[in-house]
């Protein structure tokens, strides 16, 4: 496990969760076990732990991506949950109800804002306002709207490429503020070409 982490163990807070039953066979060789192992810099967890312990609480930390995978609908077979943040996204893939992997993708809502700024040359603050127009409009009405949607489409192709490089399932559940933009879900469904569909959580 140590060889998989970029920092020495004393600088990390880490934990694991067993993904399947761990009953060993009564006869014959031992079977393998599937585990998810997660690690973060110890200093990040210590700050929260100290604060919460000072309030008389006993904190237990859980990966947000795992928690999200359990609150979305639980279809049979393979699916994934994508949470789009401001600067990055988290993708957890699930196979038959068991989380199989978690990836942090270097793509977030800020990518769309920057693309609008670059294409329309309006500045960051104005680009953010224009991006939020997509929450109200589902079809482009002006040349400006079409420019915004072109910028979004280019960035979604980049996101889809990142997703396809680590996951090849059908159904994708999407959460986060950026998922509220009306163009995101249908465009991502089309670009991924997975044969399934994207659904907003």
């Amino acid at each position: 496990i140590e060889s998989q982490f970029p920092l020495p163990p004393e600088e990390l807070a880490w934990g694991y969760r067993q993904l399947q039953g761990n009953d060993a066979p009564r006869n014959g060789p031992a079977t393998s076990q599937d585990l998810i192992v997660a690690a973060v810099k110890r200093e990040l967890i210590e700050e929260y732990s100290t604060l919460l312990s000072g309030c008389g609480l006993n904190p237990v930390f859980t990966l947000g991506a795992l928690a999200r995978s359990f609150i979305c609908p639980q279809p049979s077979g393979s699916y994934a949950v994508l949470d789009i943040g401001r600067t990055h996204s988290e993708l957890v893939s699930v196979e038959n109800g068991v989380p199989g992997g978690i990836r942090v993708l270097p793509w977030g809502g800020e990518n769309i804002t920057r693309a609008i700024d670059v294409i329309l040359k309006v500045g960051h603050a104005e680009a953010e306002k224009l991006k939020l127009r997509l929450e109200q409009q589902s079809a482009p009405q002006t040349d400006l709207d079409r420019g915004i949607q072109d910028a979004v489409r280019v960035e979604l192709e980049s996101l889809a490429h990142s997703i396809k490089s680590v996951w090849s399932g059908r159904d994708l559940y999407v959460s986060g503020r950026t998922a509220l933009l009306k163009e995101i879900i249908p465009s991502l469904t089309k670009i991924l070409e997975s044969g399934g569909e994207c659904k907003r959580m």
Side-chain angles (χ1 to χ4, degrees):
I1 289 174
E2 288 180 20
S3 68
Q4 302 300 312
F5 294 148
L7 297 171
E10 60 272 9
E11 293 182 31
L12 295 169
W14 67 279
Y16 70 94
R17 174 176 284 181
Q18 185 174 332
L19 296 181
Q20 297 175 345
N22 108 8
D23 295 335
R26 297 184 184 201
N27 297 314
T31 59
S32 62
Q33 294 181 27
D34 291 327
L35 305 170
I36 280 190
V37 179
V40 296
K41 287 186 177 179
R42 180 180 295 277
E43 61 194 38
L44 297 174
I45 295 296
E46 285 179 341
E47 286 181 33
Y48 287 108
S49 184
T50 301
L51 178 66
L52 294 169
S53 297
C55 297
L57 302 172
N58 183 19
V60 175
F61 298 94
T62 302
L63 278 175
L66 285 180
R68 279 188 294 276
S69 73
F70 292 120
I71 63 170
C72 80
Q74 304 283 309
S76 59
S78 171
Y79 66 95
V81 179
L82 175 72
D83 180 66
I84 302 175
R86 191 175 70 80
T87 60
H88 69 278
S89 298
E90 293 177 348
L91 180 75
V92 58
S93 58
V94 180
E95 186 72 42
N96 296 319
V98 179
I102 299 171
R103 298 283 187 270
V104 176
L105 307 177
W107 193 98
E110 188 66 21
N111 288 59
I112 293 175
T113 303
R114 279 197 307 269
I116 292 170
D117 182 9
V118 168
I119 289 174
L120 300 179
K121 299 178 178 32
V122 293
H124 186 274
E126 185 62 25
E128 184 68 22
K129 287 179 190 173
L130 291 172
K131 178 178 79 173
L132 296 178
R133 283 176 61 164
L134 294 174
E135 286 184 29
Q136 289 83 35
Q137 294 178 333
S138 56
Q141 317 227 336
T142 66
D143 287 342
L144 178 63
D145 294 334
R146 283 186 275 282
I148 294 168
Q149 291 195 342
D150 288 344
V152 170
R153 202 166 295 110
V154 167
E155 284 305 315
L156 286 178
E157 286 173 3
S158 168
L159 173 61
H161 177 74
S162 295
I163 292 170
K164 287 179 180 180
S165 70
V166 295
W167 178 71
S168 59
R170 289 175 42 88
D171 294 330
L172 179 68
Y173 294 88
V174 186
S175 66
R177 176 72 190 267
T178 300
L180 297 176
L181 306 180
K182 286 192 167 77
E183 187 68 18
I184 297 295
I185 300 301
S187 294
L188 201 50
T189 299
K190 185 176 178 182
I191 294 167
L192 281 172
E193 299 175 331
S194 66
E197 63 178 316
C198 295
K199 301 174 185 176
R200 185 179 293 111
M201 281 177 62

